[in-house]
Structures are given as C-alpha cells and as structure tokens.
C-alpha cells in the first residue's frame, strides 16, 4: 500500500518552529511603570546577554532625494503638505552617492543608509537605486535603504541588487497613527514590511516618540514591533525633532526619562535587535545619551546631518564614546 497517498499533506510538512512569545500591551506598560533603576537594570541584563555593552555601531545616513514628498506625516519637514523651507530636490547622481559612501566608510561607518522622500519608488527610480546598492555594497559597506512603500517585486529587486536592510517604520501605535498620518495606512506599512521580510531582506523598523502620544501608545508601538515574527533586526527609536511649519511643531517635549524608558523597553522586548538611538540626539545632552546606551541602545547615526536636520558633529560623538570608554563596532578602542 502506498502510505504516502493516505497521509494528509500537512502531516508530511516539517513541524512549525515554536511561536515567538507575544507581548501583551499591558505587560509592556508594566515594564514602562517600573522604577527607572529597576528598568535599567533589567535592560542591562538583557543587553549583556546578547551584546558587548561597550560597543556601538555607527550608521551613516544620506538623503538621496530630499523634500517634495506626497505623504503628510505630521512630524516630517520633507512633506510637500507643509511649508518648512525644505526645497524639493531630484534623485542624487550615482557618483555623488558613491563618493558620500566612501567618505562615510573612511570615517568608520560600517552601514550606509540611503533615504528618499517618496511615497514609493517608480520603475525608473528602481533602476537607479538598485545601481546605487550595487556600487555602495562593492565598497564593502552594509547597505540600507528607506524609499517608502514597496511591493513584493520591488523588495525582491533590491534584495537581488545586494541590499542588506530596508528601513520602514511603524512610527507609533495603531490607535494614535491616524492623528499623525493620513495618506498611508498602518496596514500599508505592515504590507511593505511583509514584502521586505519575504524577499529575504533584514528589517529595520522602529518608531518616533514625542508626538504628543501617551505612554499606552508608546507601549502599543513597542508591542507591534516586538510581535512582528521575527522581530526587526534593527529598531530605530526617534525622538521628534520639531521643525517649524510641521503640524507637530510646538508639541510638549517628551520627558527625557520617558525616552530612556522607551529605549529600555525596546531592548527588553527585542533582545537581539540593534536598537538605534536615532533622530533627536542633537537636542540631547551627553549624560542623556549615555543613559540611552545604559538602557540598551547600541547604534547611532553618525555624521553631521540626518536627512534634513542636524546630528552631532562626528568629532563630538567620538569624544563622547571615548569619555565613556566605548568602542566602535569594527574598530579598536574609540
Ligand atoms: N520617506 C520614507 C518613509 O517615510 O517611509 C523614509 C524616510 S522617513 C524620513 C523615515 C523616518 O524618519 C520616519 O518614519 C520617522 O520615524 C523619522 N522622522 C522623520 N521626520 C522626523 C522628525 N522630524 N523627527 C524625528 N524623526 C523623524
Ligand atoms: C529613521 O528611523 N530615522 C532616520 C532614518 N530612519 C531614515 C531619519 C530621521 C530623520 C529626521 C528628520 C530629518 O533629518 O529630516
Ligand atoms: Fe515622506 Fe517619509 Fe517624510 Fe512621510 S516621513 S513625509 S513618507 S519623507
């Protein structure tokens, strides 16, 4: 008797890997509510279980297409919906991108992230950005892009060109999202993330705080990120940089300790992720940045500019890491 024919197809499949434990929002709120010293202690324990706690990764960011974006993200100086003084530019020529990548490498960056202010790339754009990935990769740098929404085919094309990471943020909790962005839905973002994951790219996905949201929304954002299966390899935590002309300019700034808590909770719930202390460092003093590292942040954007706003000067970052006795990933002592 042919046993195969009588066994249901599902029984022939390999057993599914154990499901990643899901975080409930209330469990994450409980973490947020811990006394700060207890929260930092737990975050350090998790951090040291997976990383060298004295090592920081440097990523450099380049805006390859600035301003004039069709989306209406309420925090963003590059949206065409707001008058912020950021001029709409064209896609940067390949040679300039490669030059900037080489300069970043010379300064110690190991990852080069290219960002474009698009709703999503057009076919002509895809030809040009895949060429950029090939050339930057050939310099020996890890590559990351953030170009807006992708479909499955675009994600595969970027993977085929050699892209390592794709950055696409969930930004905030689903319940608060509609207050900030009207032109693309939360589900649109989840769909792009699924295409990126299915194409075999590593996922860089985080959010932004200081939008006037409450702690429950910050916990909701972390729950969304931590419950992605698998959770992102890289998690940027941005603190709102208030830009005149955006609807969010004038928002009450977030308590700095609440920012530190958000980093710590991201570390605890996503133990193996690189947690990146992203936008907002220029507005933080050095002691606060050190607290973020203690909370488990282990990556920063390095270079004088983010996309359109200021970032600390490279020399200042080097001096800070030196004072903290921290090393740069891929180098000797800082
Ligand atoms: N246009 C692409 C997109 O949104 O998909 C990629 C670039 S966009 C600038 C990447 C992220 O930067 C946003 O999701 C947001 O979290 C962060 N960001 C943008 N403007 C910011 C600001 N003023 N302050 C802090 N973070 C900001
Ligand atoms: C991310 O989460 N933060 C970076 C990167 N991904 C592309 C961008 C920060 C932008 C800050 C505002 C600006 O400089 O325009
Ligand atoms: Fe456009 Fe990205 Fe800015 Fe939103 S965050 S307006 S999609 S550049």
């Amino acid at each position: 008797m042919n046993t195969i024919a009588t066994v249901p197809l599902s029984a022939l499949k390999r057993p599914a890997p154990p499901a990643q434990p899901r975080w409930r929002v209330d469990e994450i709120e409980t973490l947020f509510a811990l006394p700060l010293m207890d929260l930092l202690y737990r975050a350090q324990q998790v951090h040291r279980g997976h990383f060298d706690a004295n090592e920081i990764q440097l990523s450099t960011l380049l805006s390859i297409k600035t301003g004039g974006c069709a989306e209406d993200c309420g925090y963003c100086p590059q949206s065409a919906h707001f008058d912020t003084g950021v001029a709409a530019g064209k896609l940067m020529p390949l040679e300039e991108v490669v030059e900037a990548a080489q300069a970043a490498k010379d300064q110690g960056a190991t990852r080069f992230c290219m960002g474009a202010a698009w709703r999503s790339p057009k076919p002509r754009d895809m030809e040009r950005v895949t060429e950029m990935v090939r050339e930057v990769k050939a310099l020996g740098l890890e590559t990351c892009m953030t170009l807006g929404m992708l479909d499955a085919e675009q994600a595969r094309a970027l993977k085929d060109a050699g892209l390592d990471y794709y950055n696409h943020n969930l930004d905030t909790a689903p319940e608060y999202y509609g207050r900030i962005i009207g032109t693309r839905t939360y589900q649109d973002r989840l769909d792009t993330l699924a295409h990126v994951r299915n194409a075999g790219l590593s996922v860089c996905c985080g959010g932004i705080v200081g939008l006037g949201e409450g702690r429950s929304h910050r916990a909701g954002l972390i729950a969304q990120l931590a419950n992605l299966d698998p959770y992102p390899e890289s998690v940027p935590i941005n603190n709102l940089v208030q830009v005149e002309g955006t609807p969010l300019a004038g928002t009450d700034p977030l308590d700095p300790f609440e920012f530190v808590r958000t980093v710590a909770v991201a570390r605890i719930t996503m133990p193996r992720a690189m947690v990146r202390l992203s936008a907002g460092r220029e507005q933080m003093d050095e002691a606060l940045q050190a607290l973020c590292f203690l909370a488990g942040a282990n990556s920063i954007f390095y270079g004088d500019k983010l996309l359109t706003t200021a970032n600390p000067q490279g020399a200042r970052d080097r001096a800070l890491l030196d004072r903290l006795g921290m090393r740069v990933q891929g180098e000797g002592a800082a």
Side-chain angles (χ1 to χ4, degrees):
M1 181 181 132
N2 181 348
T3 47
I4 300 282
T6 57
V7 175
L9 197 60
S10 58
L12 292 173
K13 285 191 189 148
R14 288 245 211 93
Q20 185 176 289
R22 286 182 65 81
W23 284 91
R24 293 195 322 266
V25 177
D26 66 295
E27 289 171 328
I28 296 179
E29 286 182 302
T30 304
L31 288 176
F32 264 100
L34 284 172
L36 184 62
M37 301 310 137
D38 292 349
L39 179 60
L40 288 176
Y41 180 64
R42 282 192 58 176
Q44 265 291 302
Q45 282 179 315
V46 173
H47 191 43
R48 286 170 182 269
H50 297 91
F51 292 100
D52 176 341
N54 297 305
E55 192 171 276
I56 290 284
Q57 185 226 29
L58 304 185
S59 288
T60 292
L61 195 52
L62 177 71
S63 180
I64 58 171
K65 194 270 165 198
T66 307
C69 183
E71 304 298 281
D72 68 351
C73 313
Y75 46 73
C76 185
Q78 302 200 70
S79 167
H81 296 256
F82 321 128
D83 193 2
T84 62
V86 173
K90 289 207 161 82
L91 182 58
M92 193 180 266
L94 176 64
E95 308 73 61
E96 284 179 37
V97 175
V98 175
E99 239 170 71
Q102 182 63 57
K105 187 182 176 192
D106 294 344
Q107 310 239 318
T110 49
R111 189 180 299 176
F112 192 66
C113 180
M114 295 160 266
W118 286 324
R119 174 172 166 79
S120 56
K122 308 229 163 11
R124 169 96 187 89
D125 304 325
M126 283 303 296
E127 284 173 30
R128 294 187 52 196
V129 295
T130 46
E131 201 47 45
M132 291 173 190
V133 172
R134 282 192 199 92
E135 300 255 336
V136 173
K137 183 93 181 153
L139 298 177
L141 283 161
E142 280 190 317
T143 52
C144 176
M145 280 193 158
T146 177
L147 314 170
M149 293 186 284
L150 295 183
D151 62 26
E153 197 187 323
Q154 290 172 320
R156 271 197 306 271
L158 289 167
K159 172 71 183 171
D160 290 346
L163 188 71
D164 297 300
Y165 287 81
Y166 194 78
N167 167 239
H168 197 66
N169 292 340
L170 288 174
D171 275 350
T172 188
E175 296 75 23
Y176 198 68
Y177 183 88
R179 301 267 294 269
I180 307 297
I181 297 142
T183 49
R184 66 164 69 131
T185 65
Y186 214 78
Q187 189 57 47
D188 288 333
R189 289 181 187 250
L190 292 168
D191 290 347
T192 291
L193 291 169
H195 297 318
V196 166
R197 187 53 90 194
N198 291 339
L201 289 160
S202 294
V203 172
C204 172
C205 179
I208 170 167
V209 296
L211 306 173
E213 78 286 345
R215 182 178 271 182
S216 67
H217 301 123
R218 289 185 282 281
L221 164 68
I222 300 287
Q224 287 287 328
L225 296 169
N227 290 334
L228 291 171
D229 192 7
Y231 61 73
E233 283 79 6
S234 199
V235 178
I237 307 288
N238 296 279
N239 198 13
L240 175 68
V241 178
Q242 300 203 5
V243 178
E244 213 50 59
T246 60
L248 290 175
T251 305
D252 280 345
L254 189 66
D255 174 356
F257 295 127
E258 187 68 13
F259 185 82
V260 175
R261 285 178 185 277
T262 309
V263 171
V265 171
R267 166 54 65 219
I268 292 167
T269 55
M270 294 171 274
R272 290 172 202 279
M274 299 298 293
V275 174
R276 183 167 311 116
L277 176 53
S278 300
R281 279 199 310 118
E282 175 70 359
Q283 290 72 27
M284 293 176 192
D285 67 20
E286 293 172 329
L288 178 57
Q289 293 183 60
L291 265 184
C292 291
F293 299 146
L294 189 68
N298 60 350
S299 172
I300 56 173
F301 282 121
Y302 180 67
D304 307 349
K305 210 168 159 195
L306 291 164
L307 292 172
T308 65
T309 64
N311 197 41
Q313 299 279 326
R316 234 179 81 198
D317 279 340
R318 290 275 174 183
L320 172 60
L321 296 179
D322 200 23
R323 284 166 67 201
L324 299 177
M326 295 183 90
R327 289 181 308 279
V328 173
Q329 191 186 77
E331 293 179 9

